[in-house]
Amino acid sequence: MGAVLLRFTDEKYVDSYLQGKLSFSALSSFWDVSNRKAVTDKQQDFSEGIGLDISKDLFIANPDFYNHICNDVVRARIDDYGYCKILCFFRVDIDDQFIQQIPQGMYSFGNKVIVVKDEKELAERIKCAVSNHGELCAIGDVQYRNMEFYDKRKPNGPIPHHATVLSDKPILNLSIAQKYAKSKSYGCLDKYVKFAEQREFRICWLPQKHDYQRKVLDIGPADDLFDVIEADDVNMYLLKRYPGHSFNYINPREPTFDGNVTYDTFKKQVEKITGACTLILEIN
């Protein structure tokens, strides 16, 4: 199975890609759900950075609150992931016959498409640029996870009406959260399954300076690495590149990973910055 990486963007950003000046967003920018259009377009997700599913028994000493938690699992968002800089691409999976259809929502991101001509070469240039700064990166396919929702009081019942609430600031340290944690451990290459249609290929970069600002990574001239086409022409481009194929749904490829350290090492380096966690939970 093959794949092509696409980045939908506005025309004003095209030159920066060709020059190899790649603009990364802070992962924390996805936490702002006040932009309703961005939420509708599935650009925002306050669950980005969820690291652990932990038992609601954390709150058992407070029965007035505990009894209103309708999920046996409370989510701990490790806020240090907000310092990670993120660059995302849509991955078009391709098999012997078919090309994965591009969701209509992707076209809302811009009228131009940056096509990565060589995924491995892109990863190599990014790793080189990041390593030259003495910094870390994790690169690969986002894995889409199911969100646990189980109420042992009503194991066969429907999910009750509920509201999702966040602590207004980090209220828990990771060392405490881990004592109540299930076996799962997620990071910046993990999202919930409701975003699975994005088939996201993501580059995560941890600069030495920890802030919530955008940051540019210079990988050197990249006009040999990218094609630039009109968004309206992307289907025709793919059909010409893969003659004899047609568009259809195909299963995602097995997740790939690259980076200048392992994913586990990257996560450990992020999570030890402060270890502060915001809690996300459902109450009725």
Side-chain angles (χ1 to χ4, degrees), residues 8-263:
F8 286 78
T9 191
D10 291 326
E11 186 169 2
K12 61 184 178 181
Y13 300 121
V14 166
D15 284 346
S16 64
Y17 281 93
L18 298 178
Q19 295 166 8
K21 300 183 187 302
L22 307 183
S23 181
F24 286 65
S25 301
L27 184 143
S28 60
S29 65
F30 300 144
W31 295 341
D32 180 12
V33 294
S34 62
N35 184 337
R36 301 312 301 168
K37 182 180 185 302
V39 172
T40 301
D41 292 342
K42 294 186 178 180
Q43 298 178 38
Q44 305 299 90
D45 177 16
F46 56 72
S47 295
E48 285 271 7
I50 289 292
L52 299 170
D53 288 338
I54 63 179
S55 170
K56 75 172 186 178
D57 288 346
L58 176 69
F59 297 99
I60 199 168
N62 187 346
D64 290 339
F65 184 63
Y66 177 83
N67 290 331
H68 289 281
I69 302 174
C70 57
N71 191 354
D72 288 343
V73 171
V74 175
R75 291 169 281 160
R77 185 181 76 191
I78 303 172
D79 285 11
D80 293 330
Y81 281 109
Y83 300 130
C84 292
K85 311 307 178 187
I86 305 296
L87 181 61
C88 308
F89 293 85
F90 176 74
R91 190 188 71 248
V92 180
D93 291 314
I94 299 161
D95 64 16
D96 293 337
Q97 293 180 283
F98 298 116
I99 302 169
Q100 173 60 37
Q101 293 174 327
I102 300 172
Q104 194 61 36
M106 297 303 301
Y107 292 88
S108 66
F109 288 90
N111 61 348
K112 295 287 187 179
V113 177
I114 306 297
V115 183
V116 179
K117 293 194 282 188
D118 188 330
E119 177 184 322
K120 290 185 178 180
E121 178 62 21
L122 173 63
E124 287 302 316
R125 295 190 193 184
I126 287 171
K127 287 189 295 182
C128 181
V130 170
S131 296
N132 285 342
H133 292 290
E135 297 168 343
L136 305 180
C137 64
I139 303 169
D141 298 326
V142 169
Q143 296 193 60
Y144 297 96
R145 312 290 191 172
N146 289 319
M147 184 173 73
E148 285 194 17
F149 201 109
Y150 176 75
D151 188 339
K152 62 188 175 186
R153 296 168 299 180
K154 300 177 182 179
N156 298 313
I159 297 173
H161 294 293
H162 66 277
T164 299
V165 298
L166 290 76
S167 56
D168 62 352
K169 59 183 179 181
I171 63 170
L172 195 67
N173 190 272
L174 182 59
S175 61
I176 298 174
Q178 287 172 333
K179 295 179 181 178
Y180 293 86
K182 306 290 185 177
S183 59
K184 297 178 180 178
S185 178
Y186 300 152
C188 54
L189 291 177
D190 298 274
K191 297 180 70 170
Y192 285 127
V193 72
K194 71 176 183 177
F195 296 99
E197 72 171 9
Q198 295 176 349
R199 298 196 181 214
E200 186 177 334
F201 180 90
R202 176 176 279 193
I203 301 160
C204 308
W205 167 30
L206 181 63
Q208 293 182 22
K209 182 180 179 181
H210 302 145
D211 59 34
Y212 292 155
Q213 306 303 312
R214 296 184 68 90
K215 191 171 179 67
V216 172
L217 180 67
D218 190 348
I219 64 170
D223 53 337
D224 63 325
L225 189 56
F226 300 126
D227 279 338
V228 180
I229 58 176
E230 298 289 336
D232 290 341
D233 296 334
V234 66
N235 285 345
M236 187 61 66
Y237 172 94
L238 292 169
L239 289 172
K240 287 182 178 179
R241 184 164 170 176
Y242 296 93
H245 283 61
S246 59
F247 289 97
N248 205 335
Y249 175 86
I250 61 176
N251 291 323
R253 72 180 181 185
E254 287 296 315
T256 64
F257 176 81
D258 203 344
N260 61 0
V261 292
T262 67
Y263 188 30

